[in-house]
């Protein structure tokens, strides 16, 4: 699929990366590299990580968000990590053996894995809160910029504020 081809291209160097320098339990004294540590990435859905403690109503949506997972296993089970990447290229999960999930629990009512993630946000500076476009200024005072709607795009996806078309989250697709 296209999304796999794009990620293969972006992450090609990751799969052939030099041996990890992250500390493991068995280190080669000549190179100081961890012998038992491994790094990997996969496009296969690994299932929800229950230890991430996501907001329960949104857990069923994670599979449609998932694009890839990158992982490091230190061989000792105390310094490993995994990063899950969404279809829009946003990092939505960073789980470590030592600290657990470092991302918020995604309890934002209208934005599961949309707001509380690492992502880029593009703002249309022409349309964003512009009083020249009354369709974006629905308040009684269309000359008041504070009453105008923001106009921006989240890399992760769209808010769920337009029932019934957003009863299920829309996550951004992978784009070339």
């Amino acid at each position: 699929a296209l999304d796999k081809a794009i990620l293969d291209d972006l992450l090609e160097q990751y799969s052939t990366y030099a041996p990890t320098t992250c500390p493991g339990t068995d280190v080669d004294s000549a190179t100081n590299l961890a012998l038992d540590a491994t790094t990997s990435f996969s496009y296969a859905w690994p299932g929800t990580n229950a230890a991430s403690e996501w907001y329960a109503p949104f857990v069923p949506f994670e599979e449609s968000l998932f694009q890839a997972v990158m992982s490091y296993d230190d061989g000792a089970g105390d310094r490993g990590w995994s990063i899950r990447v969404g279809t829009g290229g946003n990092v939505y999960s960073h789980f470590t053996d030592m600290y657990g999930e470092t991302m918020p629990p995604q309890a934002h009512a209208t934005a599961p894995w949309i707001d509380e993630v690492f992502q880029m946000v593009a703002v249309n500076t022409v349309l964003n809160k512009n009083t020249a476009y009354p369709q974006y200024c629905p308040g009684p005072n269309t000359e008041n910029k504070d009453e105008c709607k923001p106009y921006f795009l989240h890399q992760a996806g769209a808010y769920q504020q337009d029932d019934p078309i957003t009863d299920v989250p829309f996550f951004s697709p992978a784009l070339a």
Side-chain angles (χ1 to χ4, degrees):
L2 177 61
D3 53 355
K4 183 180 181 317
I6 292 169
L7 273 177
D8 279 342
D9 187 50
L10 292 172
L11 302 175
E12 178 182 359
Q13 294 301 320
Y14 187 78
S15 64
T16 59
Y17 197 75
T20 181
T21 58
C22 294
T25 57
D26 191 10
V27 176
D28 181 323
S29 60
T31 64
N32 202 30
L33 297 176
L35 296 174
D36 54 352
T38 59
T39 55
S40 63
F41 77 93
S42 173
Y43 304 105
W45 165 241
T48 296
N49 180 351
S52 290
E53 299 180 4
W54 300 127
Y55 182 56
F58 296 152
V59 169
F61 302 129
E62 185 187 2
E63 186 173 3
S64 63
L65 164 67
F66 177 83
Q67 179 71 39
V69 61
M70 296 184 292
S71 301
Y72 167 74
D73 180 355
D74 70 346
D78 62 350
R79 294 187 182 182
W81 52 262
S82 68
I83 293 174
R84 292 185 182 201
V85 179
T87 55
N90 52 299
V91 174
Y92 73 89
S93 174
H94 174 246
F95 190 89
T96 69
D97 293 337
M98 193 176 293
Y99 300 108
E101 183 62 57
T102 66
M103 300 297 274
Q106 304 305 316
H108 190 294
T110 61
W113 292 292
I114 303 297
D115 247 1
E116 299 168 337
V117 298
F118 298 142
Q119 66 177 328
M120 300 297 290
V121 176
V123 178
N124 183 323
T125 58
V126 173
L127 297 178
N128 189 49
K129 296 190 172 195
N130 190 333
T131 58
Y133 297 94
Q135 65 269 34
Y136 297 115
C137 302
N141 183 0
T142 58
E143 298 301 315
N144 183 350
K145 185 176 181 176
D146 292 333
E147 292 185 21
C148 296
K149 293 181 179 182
Y151 197 99
F152 55 86
L153 302 171
H154 279 138
Q155 176 185 14
Y159 286 123
Q160 295 176 255
Q161 297 173 331
D162 297 309
D163 294 332
I165 61 171
T166 56
D167 289 345
V168 175
F170 172 80
F171 300 117
S172 294
L175 301 174

